[in-house]
Each structure stands twice: as C-alpha cells, then as structure tokens.
C-alpha cells in the first residue's frame, strides 16, 4: 500500500472537534483540512463569524485591512476602505468560508456544554514528562468526550461525541460579560431604569437599538472600543436633547485611523530590536538597551501629538501611563469620528470616577454630590474570557489550569497540563487575525506529526519566561494580560512558529527589506 495513502487514511480516522465558527475556528478547520483531516466544527449560533456576527452596525476594524487579512485570500477590490465596516468584514469572512468549502464541516445550532477528558491509563497525568504522555498531538492514553446540545431541540438529550483532539475557538468577546460588582439599592430606593451589557446592545438590530435608546438618558460605563462606539451611537440618535454620559475609571490613549495606520507601518524587525525578548542572548539584550531611547522618543511624540490634536487636558482625559505601555497591553483604540466635537457641543459628557453605585434615579459617582440621573445604563466592561474557557471543562483540575495561572500558554495556544487540546482565538495582538492564522498553521503542522512538543517542564519554563518578559514593561497586575504577552513581538513570535514547522522565517528578498519592511499575512501564504 502507498504510504501516503495510508497516512491520509489515518488522518481521516482521527476525530478533531473544533468548538466555535468564528475567525479562529474557520482558520483551524481550513488548515486542518489541508493536512488531510476531516474536522467537525460545533457552532452555537446559526451562522459563522463569532463576535462579528453579533455586533453594532457601526463597528469597524481597529486594524488596517492589510494586517487583518487571510494570507491566501486577499480582500476584494470593492473594499477600498483601510478600516472596513462590520458588514464588509462579515462578507469577507463568509467568502473565505465558501472559497475553502468550510461550511460542510460546521454543525450550526450545536452548543458545546462541556468537554471531559477520559484517560485510558491508570497512571496519574501529573507524572507525565511529555504532553499527553507522548509529546504528540494524538495519544493512545486518552480522548475527549464532547457534550453537545441541539439548540433547535433543547429538550433532547445531549449528544456525546468522542474525539481525539479538541481545538477551543469559542472566543474572548462573547457569552460571559464582565459586570462590575456594584452596590445596588434595594426596596423603595432601587434603581428604576434598565441595566444591560454591551453584548446585549450589540445583539440588537439597528432599528431595535435606536428605539431602545431614543429620547432616553443613557450612561455608558467603560471607555474602550465598545464603550466609545455605543456612546457615539447614542449621541447620533439623541443629540444634545438627551446627552449621553460616558463614565470611566481611567483615561486611555485613543487616536485617529491615520495614527493607527502609521503605527502599524512602524512594526518591523528593526522596531522589535528595541523590545526585550525571553531568553535573549547578550547581543539582543544589548541592542534592546541601546535602542530603548527610541522607544521613549516614539512614545512621547505620540503622546504630544494626541495632546495637541485633542483637548485631553480640558476634559481630564490625559492618561497616567505611556502610549507605549498601552500598545504593549493591546488596549489602543480608534476614536469614533467627531468624538470631541460631540463633547464640545454637549451631546456627550465625560465623567471620571473610581466608584459607581446605583440609586433610585441613576448612579452615584465618586466626588459627586448629586446623583447622575439616567434611564439606561450600558456596561461596556468586557468579558470574563478565562472563566468562559474554564467553564467548558468538567475537570476541576483543568479549570484551575486556566484560571489559576498568570503565565501565558505555550506558543499562545497550548496549555502544558491539558493534553490533546489547543486554544485558538485567545491570544491578543494588534492584528488578531494575523495571530490566529499563524497559530492555526502551526497547529495543523503539529496535528500532521511534523514536530513534537518539548517536555512539559520546558513548556512551563518557556511560558514563565514570556510572563517575566511581559511584566518587564507592564509590572502592575491590573493591566497585565496573559493573552497579550507578545503584542509588540509579532514577527519574533512568527519566527518561533516557523522554526517549529521547519520553515524559513525570513520572507523578504533583501537584508534592508528584512530589517525595515513590515510583515503582512500575505508574506506567510506559502506555509
């Protein structure tokens, strides 16, 4: 028998479950299929796209489209905008799924309730020196049971699928909202308005959302991307008749699309020489020290530019941290158009407060004697992503692996203590699709047996080195994020993945280009 045919048959016999049909799930499916596997994708919703399928109509990309692009599937010529809108992004994602015939692999309205690892050996997994006992993707030591609920027939018994490998792609920005623990008055003094999360607001269609906020006093809590977008929508609907109030704990650096575009253009190998790296040798350490003043100059220039362009000081919007630190924590946002014009005309009110409490007519803010009257409070305060991932495991030990550690995952997708499972769509970067696709390619090579993982101890040490390196630039627990440790080292991270896969990490023709040209997803299309 032809060995290649035998290998293909073995791959088809391996059952791979992908949980979620967002961007990372589609990528995982496409690249696994290219390696000869036949994965099944479980998607709770009746459509693909993940968070993009249920978001505000005004939402746009925060990343220039050249960086938010599938490596082998460019944006259509009809999309001329640098930052495409929600509908354009959804059409692009659907076109990708059609082009690579991913739809037949997806089971829609299939919600994965839990996953349970069944070990076929008596020995304790904690005694394994190699991931899964072998260091390979597939192992005879165990498999996963995936419990799936049919959303169209919720009273039916759960379906149980036995699989050899699970790829978690259930996303960070959905399903489990993070609502602050706020003191709520009870009884006669209870707040008589409506309280929702940005997730619920984003799930409304355009007409429903407009009717919900029309002629209402609205307070939006949170000043990151979703908060700014919702506030802008409220302003456009209600104007100065019923000003929208944006309440936030701390100011953040936000800028224009032009600033974001220019920042991405400066992300190259030379700029990464200014950033310390885990386990760097003396030369890289010395270069990072030598070039670090350039980082400081860049950060100060950006801060001065933003202070000059926007009335930050006038409205108490000057952050207490550097522009560079914000880039490193993946929290830079693009301001909605005319944002400060809205503030100037009085249709948008900015209020900074460390504490928020409810009262009968609205909110009580810090250092405010008079309550802030409101009809609707919308919390744009993010999601509990770690808890969402941990909730899917039946094993308490695996739950603790996710919530009990601050260290990042190995290669940002493998937990050293959770066998035969990868997590995609978790790591953050300035260009998430770019990050997800490179790890999808890496994972497909791993599934195909092209390389093995290091020992569990080596992977844990590597994760700790990445955590240590991230805390070098961000040493407070409030802003440190395990999912964002490689934010300004995208090329360096891709180099590591390429070396694992046995590919040449250098994709430019000439040394000068290699050092100063930006890297795009299309540079890795041949992997």
């Amino acid at each position: 028998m032809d060995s290649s045919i035998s290998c293909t048959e073995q791959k088809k016999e391996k059952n791979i479950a992908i949980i979620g049909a967002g961007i990372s799930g589609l990528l995982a499916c496409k690249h696994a299929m290219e390696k000869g596997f036949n994965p099944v994708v479980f998607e709770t919703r009746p459509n693909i796209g993940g968070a993009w399928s249920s978001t505000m109509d005004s939402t746009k990309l925060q990343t220039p489209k050249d960086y938010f692009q599938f490596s082998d599937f460019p944006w259509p010529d009809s999309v001329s905008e640098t930052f495409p809108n929600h509908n354009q992004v959804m059409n692009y994602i659907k076109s990708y799924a059609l082009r690579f015939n991913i739809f037949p692999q997806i089971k829609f309205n299939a919600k994965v309730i839990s996953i349970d690892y069944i070990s076929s050996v008596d020995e304790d997994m904690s005694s394994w020196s190699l991931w899964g006992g072998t260091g390979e993707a597939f192992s005879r030591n165990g498999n996963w049971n995936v419990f799936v609920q049919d959303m169209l027939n919720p009273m039916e018994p759960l379906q149980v699928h036995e699989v050899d490998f699970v790829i978690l792609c259930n996303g960070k920005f959905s399903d489990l909202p993070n609502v602050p623990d706020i003191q709520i008055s009870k009884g006669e003094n209870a707040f008589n308005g409506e309280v929702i999360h940005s997730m619920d607001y984003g799930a409304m269609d355009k007409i429903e959302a407009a009717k919900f906020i029309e002629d209402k006093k609205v307070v939006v809590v949170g000043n990151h991307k979703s908060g700014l977008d919702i506030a802008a929508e409220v302003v456009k609907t209600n104007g100065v008749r019923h000003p929208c109030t944006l309440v936030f704990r701390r100011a953040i650096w936000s800028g224009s699309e032009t600033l974001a575009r220019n920042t991405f253009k400066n992300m190259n190998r030379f700029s990464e020489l200014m950033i310390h790296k885990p386990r760097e040798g003396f030369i890289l350490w010395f270069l990072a020290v030598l070039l670090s003043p350039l980082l400081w100059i860049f950060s100060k220039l950006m801060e001065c530019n933003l202070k000059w362009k926007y009335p930050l000081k006038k409205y108490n919007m000057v952050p207490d941290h550097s522009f560079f630190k914000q880039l490193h924590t993946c929290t830079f946002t693009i301001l909605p158009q005319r944002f400060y014009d809205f503030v100037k005309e009085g249709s948008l009110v900015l209020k900074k407060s460390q504490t928020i409490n409810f009262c009968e007519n609205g909110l009580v803010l810090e250092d405010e004697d008079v309550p802030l009257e409101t009809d609707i409070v919308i919390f744009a305060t993010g999601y509990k992503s770690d808890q969402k991932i941990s909730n899917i495991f039946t094993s308490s030990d695996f739950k603790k692996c996710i919530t009990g550690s601050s260290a990042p995952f190995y290669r940002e997708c493998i937990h050293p203590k959770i066998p035969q499972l990868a997590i995609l769509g978790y790591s953050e970067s300035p260009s998430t699709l770019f990050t997800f696709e490179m790890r999808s390619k890496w994972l497909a090579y791993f599934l195909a047996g092209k390389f093995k993982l290091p020992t569990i101890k080596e992977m844990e040490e590597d994760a700790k080195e990445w955590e240590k390196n991230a805390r070098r630039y961000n040493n407070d627990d409030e802003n440190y994020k395990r999912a964002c440790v490689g934010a300004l080292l995208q090329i360096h991270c891709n180099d590591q993945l390429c070396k694992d896969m046995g590919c040449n990490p250098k994709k430019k023709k000439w040394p000068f280009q290699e050092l100063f040209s930006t890297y795009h997803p299309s540079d890795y299309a041949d992997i």
Side-chain angles (χ1 to χ4, degrees):
M1 181 182 291
D2 190 326
S3 59
S4 62
I5 295 177
S6 176
C7 183
T8 301
E9 289 177 347
Q10 289 177 7
K11 289 177 181 177
K12 287 184 177 180
E13 290 175 359
K14 296 298 183 182
N15 296 318
I16 299 175
I18 299 173
I19 302 175
I23 290 176
S24 56
L26 298 177
L27 284 164
C29 183
K30 185 259 188 183
H31 290 288
M33 289 168 62
E34 283 188 341
K35 295 301 181 187
F37 295 100
N38 186 34
V40 58
V41 183
F42 298 102
E43 170 55 48
T44 302
R45 298 179 176 89
N47 47 34
I48 65 171
W52 282 102
S53 68
S54 179
T55 189
M56 292 171 291
D57 209 47
S58 61
T59 301
K60 297 174 65 177
L61 275 181
Q62 293 279 287
T63 305
K65 66 179 181 183
D66 291 346
Y67 300 86
F68 193 94
Q69 174 177 295
F70 300 107
S71 63
D72 51 0
F73 191 73
W75 284 85
D77 295 336
S78 59
V79 180
S80 58
E81 296 86 350
T82 303
F83 297 87
N85 62 37
H86 156 257
N87 291 321
Q88 291 169 316
V89 173
M90 273 304 301
N91 289 336
Y92 179 55
I93 294 171
K94 290 177 181 177
S95 298
Y96 177 81
L98 287 169
R99 167 64 180 82
F100 294 104
N101 199 33
I102 299 174
F103 278 104
Q105 308 299 126
I106 305 174
K107 291 183 180 293
F108 291 107
N109 300 301
K111 181 178 182 179
V112 175
I113 302 300
S114 62
I115 58 176
D116 186 27
Y117 186 74
I118 308 299
S119 178
S120 60
V121 294
D122 294 331
E123 62 178 324
D124 188 352
M125 285 190 294
S126 62
S127 66
W128 291 350
S129 61
L130 293 173
W131 189 76
T134 63
E136 299 177 348
F138 303 105
S139 171
R140 295 179 180 178
N141 293 328
N143 52 47
W144 288 94
N145 282 340
V146 179
F147 297 86
V148 181
Q149 181 182 62
D150 183 352
M151 298 300 288
L152 299 180
N153 299 287
M155 301 305 294
E156 293 290 321
L158 297 180
Q159 302 170 4
V160 183
H161 299 261
E162 186 177 303
V163 301
D164 301 292
F165 199 95
V166 171
I167 307 177
L168 273 182
C169 304
N170 51 350
K172 289 172 60 69
F173 307 111
S174 62
D175 299 335
L176 195 61
N178 176 42
V179 179
D181 184 14
I182 294 176
Q183 181 180 339
I184 302 177
S185 300
K186 298 180 180 180
E188 295 181 357
N189 296 322
F191 177 57
N192 54 25
E194 296 192 63
V195 180
I196 66 170
H197 189 267
S198 58
M199 176 184 73
D200 305 305
Y201 182 82
M204 301 178 186
D205 61 39
K206 189 174 183 179
I207 296 176
E208 182 185 5
K211 287 183 178 179
F212 178 71
I213 61 177
E214 188 175 11
D215 295 329
K216 301 287 182 60
K217 298 175 184 177
V218 180
V219 171
V220 179
V221 180
N223 62 337
H224 287 274
K225 177 58 180 170
S226 58
L228 297 180
D229 284 346
I230 294 173
E233 285 199 359
V234 175
V235 166
K236 291 175 183 177
T237 301
N238 292 338
V240 294
R241 303 187 317 276
H242 299 286
C244 174
T245 303
L246 184 69
V247 178
F248 56 94
R249 290 179 58 194
R250 58 190 305 181
I252 63 172
W253 297 106
S254 303
S256 64
E257 292 181 352
T258 300
L259 177 61
R261 184 166 58 247
N262 291 336
T263 300
F264 271 90
K265 288 181 178 179
N266 288 317
M267 291 182 178
N268 50 39
R269 287 194 183 276
F270 179 73
S271 67
E272 289 194 5
L273 289 177
M274 307 176 196
I275 312 294
H276 285 286
K277 304 168 182 65
R279 295 177 175 174
E280 61 191 359
F282 174 77
I283 294 177
L284 289 178
W285 174 86
F286 180 75
L287 285 172
V289 172
L290 184 67
L291 298 174
S292 60
L294 295 179
L295 271 183
W296 182 87
I297 293 172
F298 167 76
S299 184
K300 290 302 177 184
L301 285 174
M302 293 300 101
E303 292 168 25
C304 290
N305 176 61
L306 291 170
K307 290 176 184 177
W308 170 79
K309 189 171 184 178
Y310 303 112
L312 302 184
K313 188 174 182 180
K314 180 178 179 180
Y315 297 111
N316 195 24
M317 292 292 282
V318 179
D320 57 7
H321 56 272
S322 69
F323 180 83
F324 168 75
K325 184 175 182 178
Q326 193 156 315
L327 286 181
H328 196 271
T329 54
C330 304
T331 52
F332 178 77
T333 59
I334 296 177
L335 281 174
Q337 291 184 348
R338 300 190 62 240
F339 181 84
Y340 281 102
D341 290 339
F342 297 147
V343 178
K344 184 178 181 181
E345 71 184 19
S347 57
L348 178 61
V349 179
L350 306 176
K351 287 189 176 290
K352 188 176 182 180
S353 178
Q354 295 298 313
T355 60
I356 300 175
N357 294 307
F358 281 101
C359 64
E360 182 179 359
N361 297 322
L363 296 175
V364 178
L365 305 182
E366 184 183 44
D367 300 329
E368 297 261 347
D369 296 329
V370 179
L372 176 61
E373 293 187 11
T374 183
D375 301 309
I376 298 173
V377 177
I378 304 176
F379 283 102
T381 46
Y383 296 84
K384 299 178 180 179
S385 54
D386 279 6
Q387 186 176 334
K388 178 185 176 182
I389 293 174
S390 69
N391 285 349
I392 206 167
F393 295 98
T394 59
S395 165
S396 59
D397 291 335
F398 289 165
K399 288 178 184 288
K400 292 176 183 177
C401 286
I402 301 298
T403 59
S405 173
S406 61
F409 303 131
Y410 180 72
R411 297 297 189 252
E412 297 185 82
C413 64
I414 296 288
H415 194 287
K417 290 293 181 66
I418 305 180
Q420 294 163 246
L421 179 138
I423 300 173
L424 292 178
Y426 178 82
S427 57
E428 295 181 43
S429 75
S431 177
T432 53
L433 191 153
F434 196 176
T435 298
F436 300 163
E437 183 169 34
M438 286 302 297
R439 276 144 194 81
S440 296
K441 291 173 182 280
W442 179 87
L443 182 58
Y445 269 72
F446 176 52
L447 292 170
K450 301 298 184 181
F451 62 90
K452 291 185 178 182
L453 296 178
T455 65
I456 291 175
K457 182 179 180 180
E458 288 172 325
M459 288 194 289
E460 289 178 331
E461 289 175 351
D462 181 82
K464 289 178 181 178
E465 287 295 324
W466 274 99
E467 179 187 13
K468 179 181 177 182
N469 192 71
R471 290 187 182 277
R472 182 197 297 263
Y473 297 105
N474 185 26
N475 55 10
D476 61 293
D477 289 331
E478 184 175 354
N479 286 317
Y480 169 77
K481 290 195 293 184
R482 172 174 58 174
C484 197
V485 293
L488 298 182
L489 292 172
Q490 178 121 36
I491 301 174
H492 176 72
C493 290
N494 289 345
D495 287 352
Q496 290 185 318
L497 300 176
C498 287
K499 290 175 182 176
D500 289 344
M501 293 184 280
C503 306
N504 183 3
K506 296 184 177 181
K507 302 297 181 180
K508 306 297 184 180
K509 292 183 178 180
W510 309 106
F512 186 84
Q513 284 182 308
E514 190 64 55
L515 190 60
F516 294 103
S517 295
T518 55
Y519 263 78
H520 298 86
S522 56
D523 289 311
Y524 298 93
D526 60 340
I527 297 178

